[in-house]
Amino acid sequence: MKKIVSGLVVIGVIGFLGAYGGSSWIMKSRKAIESGEVAALKYDDALIQKGEYLARLSDCAACHSVPGDAEYAGGLAMQTPFGAIYSTNITPDAETGIGNYSLAEFTNAVKHGVRKDDAPLYPAMPYTSYTIMSDDDMQAMYAYFMEKVPAVKKANAPSTFPWVMSMRWPVAYWQFLFSPIREFQPNPDLSDLENHGAYLVEGPGHCGACHTPRGIAYQEKALSNDSNLYLSGALIDGWRAKSLRGEVQGLKLWSEGDVVEFLQTGRTDKVIAFGAMADVVEHSSQYWSDEDLNATAAYLKQLTPAPNKILELPKKEDTTTDLLLSGKYRDLGAILYVEHCYTCHRADGEGVPRIFPALNLNSAVLANNAQSVIQVTLEGGKMPDTPADRMAFTMPAFNHLSDEEVAIIVNFIRNSWNNTSPEVSAKDVAEIRQFLRNKAPNITLN
């Protein structure tokens, strides 16, 4: 028996070493450019400006900045099923940032997920999308980070993963299976504008990182429109990232102009960006050029509906407005709505254009999954601040309400006016409340 156990241990060790060695080979094969010395290069203003725009286009600041702290200094917590990952310092500080990265090492990290020490980066970094960006773009971004971004000395925080999950080398196999090194392939059936939008969405915009469902290995189920699962909606960091495809709960009710206005300002007359999308608008899409905004809208609006999603809303007569105006409330949902929501969102559920979002026929409200509505009710939210509007308004947190009360309000909103959506339970609210406790343990959520 002892010999058998010893043999199994030896086989296990050999297997482990073989797997570890294989991961090293994978990482070396992914490096498109060999690492080199950090050259003392000087870049012209035009290239630096291009890099600054590309950094905005790629939304680097939203993940690599903590509100109130220095931009790009890292430290933002991103929740995963296994624990939290903290974004890294990407300022040019030589000790804690990327100041000692060569252009080749920067390119390998951003496009291929290979760190300076040849360790694989976790897929929280969207290199699966950035891989289609050009090396010229990498040089411009490198010039911007090295020449214009102030260096900040801030140590990177370790993840909260369990020991087994915190090992880096198995991520190499994940990359081998789910993050192919690829180039953008234009679709001959699309216009030049739509193809440019496809490139922006698939690459620097990395929209699929949030809006495409993930598989059991946390991989995006599609990286391009080769599958109609692409951009069909997903759960990310507790938010339900809506479908960007052509069904009614996606972008069917939006015009191209609505998409452009939303990306540029974070608002339309009916909807307002909240949660993670508010960060995208504030740090990234408000800076996009008109050409890039129009191209993105054109591409998204030609996408076909996602599978198994409704194409038309069921007909429903609005009886809610008259009920609320009458003052004769039949249930606790109406009472709670009047007490907590009525002033801003109005009796007709239409809110106030560009100030308070409509709740009637709002695609976030109509979603089959109500995580976003529950989370914004418990946590509140702030609109993105852009020059397009004089003020950015904040929704207060209603976490003082019980799980049952929040469920009642959410169900009232999701099934009033012309809305028809599946109901949620107090248990659903309790799960989101616990998620928020884990995400921000110093904040009281009752």
Side-chain angles (χ1 to χ4, degrees), residues 1 7 17 59 96 127 143 146 207 219 221 262 284 326 354 358 371 375-376 393:
M1 177 61 74
L17 292 174
D59 200 19
T96 62
Y127 45 79
M146 293 303 179
C207 304
Q219 82 280 13
K221 290 187 175 181
F262 181 78
S284 179
S326 72
R354 301 193 67 79
Q371 287 104 322
Q375 185 167 175
V376 79
F393 295 89

Side-chain angles (χ1 to χ4, degrees), residues 241-357:
K242 68 183 267 93
S243 170
L244 302 181
R245 301 187 68 90
E247 68 277 7
V248 74
Q249 291 159 314
L251 292 181
K252 180 176 181 178
L253 302 180
W254 294 50
S255 68
E256 287 186 25
D258 291 334
V259 176
V260 169
E261 183 181 12
F262 181 78
L263 290 173
Q264 192 170 52
T265 72
R267 314 182 196 186
T268 71
D269 283 350
K270 288 188 70 73
V271 301
I272 285 171
F274 61 91
M277 192 63 208
D279 292 333
V280 172
V281 174
E282 186 153 322
H283 291 288
S284 179
S285 61
Q286 68 162 308
Y287 299 101
W288 292 12
S289 68
D290 289 343
E291 178 189 7
D292 286 350
L293 288 167
N294 288 322
T296 299
Y299 172 68
L300 292 177
K301 280 298 294 177
Q302 62 79 44
L303 292 175
T304 56
N308 305 315
K309 300 288 182 71
I310 61 174
L311 302 182
E312 299 290 342
L313 288 172
K315 298 294 183 183
K316 180 176 181 180
E317 181 183 356
D318 173 16
T319 59
T320 308
T321 301
D322 287 342
L323 166 67
L324 294 177
L325 290 173
S326 72
K328 300 175 182 178
Y329 311 133
R330 294 192 294 265
D331 57 45
L332 183 56
I335 295 170
L336 290 170
Y337 179 84
V338 169
E339 183 177 354
H340 299 286
C341 316
Y342 184 105
T343 301
C344 296
H345 298 288
R346 307 305 199 199
D348 59 4
E350 295 296 338
V352 178
R354 301 193 67 79
I355 297 177
F356 304 121

Side-chain angles (χ1 to χ4, degrees), residues 336-409:
L336 290 170
Y337 179 84
V338 169
E339 183 177 354
H340 299 286
C341 316
Y342 184 105
T343 301
C344 296
H345 298 288
R346 307 305 199 199
D348 59 4
E350 295 296 338
V352 178
R354 301 193 67 79
I355 297 177
F356 304 121
L359 300 177
N360 185 36
L361 300 182
N362 183 312
S363 55
V365 173
L366 293 171
N368 284 332
N369 235 310
Q371 287 104 322
S372 289
V373 178
I374 295 171
Q375 185 167 175
V376 79
T377 302
L378 289 172
E379 192 177 40
K382 181 181 177 297
M383 299 177 188
D385 192 2
T386 77
D389 295 278
R390 294 180 61 186
M391 290 183 287
F393 295 89
T394 298
M395 175 175 166
F398 292 101
N399 51 46
H400 60 283
L401 297 174
S402 69
D403 295 338
E404 186 67 33
E405 288 170 328
V406 172
I408 290 170
I409 290 178

Side-chain angles (χ1 to χ4, degrees), residues 78-220:
M78 290 171 279
Q79 300 297 323
T80 78
F82 314 109
I85 299 173
Y86 293 88
S87 62
T88 55
N89 182 344
I90 56 171
T91 73
D93 179 65
E95 183 180 342
T96 62
I98 60 171
N100 284 328
Y101 270 60
S102 68
L103 171 59
E105 290 163 344
F106 179 85
T107 300
N108 286 325
V110 176
K111 289 185 61 172
H112 307 306
V114 183
R115 207 167 60 179
K116 180 180 173 69
D117 62 359
D118 288 348
L121 292 171
Y122 291 125
M125 168 69 173
Y127 45 79
T128 51
S129 299
Y130 292 159
T131 189
I132 69 173
M133 296 177 69
S134 71
D135 289 341
D136 287 344
D137 285 350
M138 292 299 106
Q139 184 181 40
M141 290 176 67
Y142 181 79
Y144 165 64
F145 279 106
M146 293 303 179
E147 296 288 332
K148 191 170 180 180
V149 173
V152 177
K153 189 175 294 295
K154 180 181 177 182
N156 294 314
S159 75
T160 62
F161 287 178
W163 174 76
V164 173
M165 298 301 299
S166 68
M167 289 189 294
R168 291 270 180 174
W169 65 266
V171 180
Y173 289 94
W174 184 97
Q175 292 182 347
F176 179 77
L177 292 171
F178 303 118
S179 182
I181 296 174
R182 58 195 176 93
E183 295 181 353
F184 175 68
Q185 300 296 326
N187 184 340
D189 295 329
L190 299 183
S191 68
D192 289 344
L193 184 69
E194 290 166 341
N195 267 312
H196 181 53
Y199 166 75
L200 295 171
V201 169
E202 289 181 24
H206 62 279
C207 304
C210 289
H211 291 273
T212 296
R214 301 218 173 216
I216 192 170
Y218 203 64
Q219 82 280 13
E220 294 171 50

Side-chain angles (χ1 to χ4, degrees), residues 234-236 238-242 249 274 362-379 406-415 420-433 435-436:
L235 181 63
I236 186 81
W239 298 105
R240 187 71 189 177
K242 68 183 267 93
Q249 291 159 314
F274 61 91
N362 183 312
S363 55
V365 173
L366 293 171
N368 284 332
N369 235 310
Q371 287 104 322
S372 289
V373 178
I374 295 171
Q375 185 167 175
V376 79
T377 302
L378 289 172
E379 192 177 40
V406 172
I408 290 170
I409 290 178
V410 169
N411 287 329
F412 178 82
I413 290 169
R414 281 165 54 85
N415 291 282
T420 303
S421 302
E423 294 205 344
V424 303
S425 67
K427 180 175 178 290
D428 297 323
V429 177
E431 289 174 354
I432 297 294
R433 197 188 296 269
F435 171 83
L436 293 174

